[in-house]
Amino acid sequence: MPTHRSLADDVRSRTPQELRDLVVARPDLLHPGTSDLTGLAARAATRSSVQRAVDALPADALRVLDALVASSGELAGAAARLAVEVDAITDFADDLWTRALVWRNGDRLTATREVAQLLAEVDLDQAPFHHPVVGTPGGGQEAADAHAGHAALDLVWQVEALAEHWEAAPPRVMSKGGVSVRDHKSLAGHLDTTIEHSAFIAELAHAAGLLAPDAEIDPTWLPTPAYDDWLQEPPASRWVALARAWWTMLRAPSLVASRDPGGSVVNLLGDASVWPMMRQRRHDVLSVLLDLPAEVAVSVDDVDVLLRWHRPLRLPPGVPTRADVVVQEAEWLGLVADGRLSSVGRALAADRLDDSVAAPLLPALIDHVLVQADLTAIAPGPLTDDLRRLMHTVADVESRGGATVFRITDRSMNRALDAGHSAAGLREQLRSASLTPLPQSLEYLIDDAARRHGVTRVGAASSYVRSDDESLLNALVADSAAEPLQLLRIAPTVLVSRLPAARLLNLLREIGYSTLAEDASGAVTVIGSEPARAPSPRPSASVTRTTVEASAAEQFVEKLLQTSGTEAPATGDPAVTVDVLLDAAATGVPVRVGYVDTSGNIRRITMRPRSVDAGRVTGTVGENVRTISVHRITAVAPA
């Protein structure tokens, strides 16, 4: 094997396939690219690129690299330091060479200067050499996918329930941003879930562009037009949209309700819940799970061990991995189930997620319920969107499980009538949805609610309340719960209020009065039929891809090979120029330098650099010592 004097020589001697493997292994070399092989080698040796490459190494490869540095590149010496046979580290050494973290110098594998400096700053004594064995075999992908599909469908429904709740009672945007603790607790109660889970749902919906502050003087949180579009999509598309939002979002819902360093509460949707590190941690968790066999199920502790082994420099002892948080979010989202990735989780981690992957995992939806004589309705499985929305309007959920039990009450029936449904329409919709005949008690309930509904009416005067039943208005005026309505009697059958008609209507319904709205002619109307919407937020910055397709690497290498062999290829990057000069100064090899002199002319010289410091390179040109400012250099290459 020929003796190479530098990393640049090593890179220039590689075959097109080996160069392609280098670019695939270190995708940052492609963005921004370089115009020649010398520039590629120099970029691969820069501190920032080496830091990214070394950070990505698992513990075993990192230990081999450290041993090679300590043994001056001798494989036998490195193996002896690790107390293993040479054959045990050969594959690791070859991979380190492929990544250009070491270069072949005769029989040695010499680490680049930046690699040696970086490893001198870290402690690898605790890093295990062999891949940890974790998890337990058992179960199957099919069962995990089924559980993931149910979790995802629940999440989609909860996002819809959140949007409907905030559409009807939008929470105020706090002066410091976000949602108040009281409104957050109210949301958790409405969704019948925990503070942590409700924070995840709201933060995810916001990241997906479905929620945003409106543009009013006193802003509130409302659904956006994008929510209306999302709502019209099939469940699989809605799931995929939420999964992609989670994969790219910079927010950390787990921080909500905790204390920031200043001791203040981190509010839902506030600025303090932005933590970019969590995006990388989500990617790391799904990546380590993707590497496991599909039949192996792991615990959160297993994931913690894997993360520390795969990313020993990012996660040294004492630094929390947040594996428990990421796994919990992934389970809520249907990306992880039963200790393994679902098919959707695998597709997301491999950047190939689309509706065709998600749709088969979702449970089959049913289009019927069983209405019972005790005014309950049993849904024996997940309902279709239209039927589910009808049942949530006309009934309250009494229990969940394999089947959902709905309870139909006077209050829920009034809610359906308030939403614009007619008694005849409700009777027909329930009759067509139920596999059992509608009980007579339900027929009576519908008729009684419809007869009482709209006895009082609200209009815009600023607003007024009128009713032919004077005793009802007397009771309303005397009701302490109605004091915030600021009602004033102006006639035996008419009350007026300073509140807007829509607000008055909602408040009357909240305190238990079944009320209808009417227009100026006295005809019944539905106030707020066009729901308020917040403007769509600006799309967040796209995530930079961390992988390179083999075809893109091949095209890049072809362009490099076309320009190789030129006399003095321009690096086009000051950082690359400096690194080539530093490498030449460290190894004592001459370089060809193209530079602009004080007259603006292009000059070319052969220099043997001695030092590079303060933006200048000093070296010998023939018998003379010359100093050139780096910013004047246009091209540099080994002589």
Side-chain angles (χ1 to χ4, degrees), residues 63 86 236 252 267 279 286 405 487 534:
R63 289 289 303 277
V86 172
N267 292 96
R279 180 168 70 184
L286 263 63
V405 178
L487 296 173

Side-chain angles (χ1 to χ4, degrees), residues 337-350:
D338 302 340
R340 53 173 58 84
L341 285 177
S342 69
S343 295
V344 167
R346 292 184 177 278
L348 182 64

Side-chain angles (χ1 to χ4, degrees), residues 1 49 168 266 278 284 305 341 414 444 506 540 561 596 608:
M1 178 178 293
S49 182
V266 176
M278 283 303 296
D284 288 343
V305 170
L341 285 177
N414 282 331
Y444 289 158
N506 288 333
S540 58
L561 294 177
V596 180
R608 191 180 296 273

Side-chain angles (χ1 to χ4, degrees), residues 268-468:
L268 177 64
L269 299 176
D271 293 340
S273 63
V274 176
W275 194 16
M277 183 279 294
M278 283 303 296
R279 180 168 70 184
Q280 183 60 53
R281 197 55 46 81
R282 294 183 191 111
H283 294 185
D284 288 343
V285 169
L286 263 63
S287 294
V288 300
L289 292 177
L290 186 64
D291 290 339
L292 294 173
E295 66 274 8
V296 172
V298 294
S299 65
V300 171
D301 290 339
D302 293 334
V303 177
D304 189 90
V305 170
L306 291 173
L307 283 176
R308 293 191 187 279
W309 188 85
H310 278 278
R311 297 290 184 265
L313 293 188
R314 292 182 189 173
L315 296 168
V319 174
T321 65
R322 310 288 177 180
D324 55 338
V325 172
V326 177
V327 170
Q328 178 63 84
E329 291 181 356
E331 288 176 345
W332 284 333
L333 193 47
L335 305 178
V336 172
D338 302 340
R340 53 173 58 84
L341 285 177
S342 69
S343 295
V344 167
R346 292 184 177 278
L348 182 64
D351 195 26
R352 53 177 181 79
L353 177 60
D354 57 29
D355 294 2
S356 64
V357 178
L361 274 63
L362 293 172
L365 303 180
I366 61 174
D367 59 357
H368 61 269
V369 294
L370 304 172
V371 179
Q372 309 294 305
D374 60 354
L375 297 182
T376 60
I378 300 174
L383 300 175
T384 60
D385 284 341
D386 289 342
L387 182 53
R388 175 178 55 83
R389 290 164 188 162
L390 171 65
M391 294 308 299
H392 279 280
T393 300
V394 78
D396 298 316
V397 176
E398 190 169 84
S399 66
R400 300 180 188 274
T404 302
V405 178
F406 295 91
R407 170 72 63 180
I408 303 173
T409 64
D410 288 338
R411 186 180 181 85
S412 66
M413 190 58 63
N414 282 331
R415 184 172 66 229
L417 295 171
D418 290 342
H421 291 278
S422 66
L426 285 174
R427 187 181 291 106
E428 181 58 33
Q429 286 177 293
L430 290 172
R431 183 177 288 119
S432 61
S434 177
L435 294 184
T436 56
L438 293 189
Q440 193 175 44
S441 56
L442 178 57
E443 301 269 4
Y444 289 158
L445 178 63
I446 294 174
D447 291 339
D448 288 345
R451 187 163 46 250
R452 295 191 307 269
H453 192 255
V455 174
T456 58
R457 300 191 176 190
V458 169
S462 224
S463 61
Y464 63 86
V465 181
R466 74 172 183 86
S467 175
D468 294 333

Side-chain angles (χ1 to χ4, degrees), residues 47 50-73 78 81-82 96 101-102 109-125 127 312-314:
R47 175 77 178 197
V50 167
Q51 179 78 59
R52 284 189 287 267
V54 173
D55 278 353
L57 293 177
D60 47 9
L62 200 57
R63 289 289 303 277
V64 171
L65 180 59
D66 186 54
L68 284 172
V69 171
S71 62
S72 301
R81 284 179 173 273
L82 296 171
L96 295 172
L101 294 173
V102 297
L109 287 172
T110 304
T112 64
R113 180 183 62 259
E114 293 293 344
V115 168
Q117 292 175 353
L118 182 63
L119 291 181
E121 301 171 4
V122 300
D123 181 10
L124 301 176
D125 290 342
L313 293 188
R314 292 182 189 173

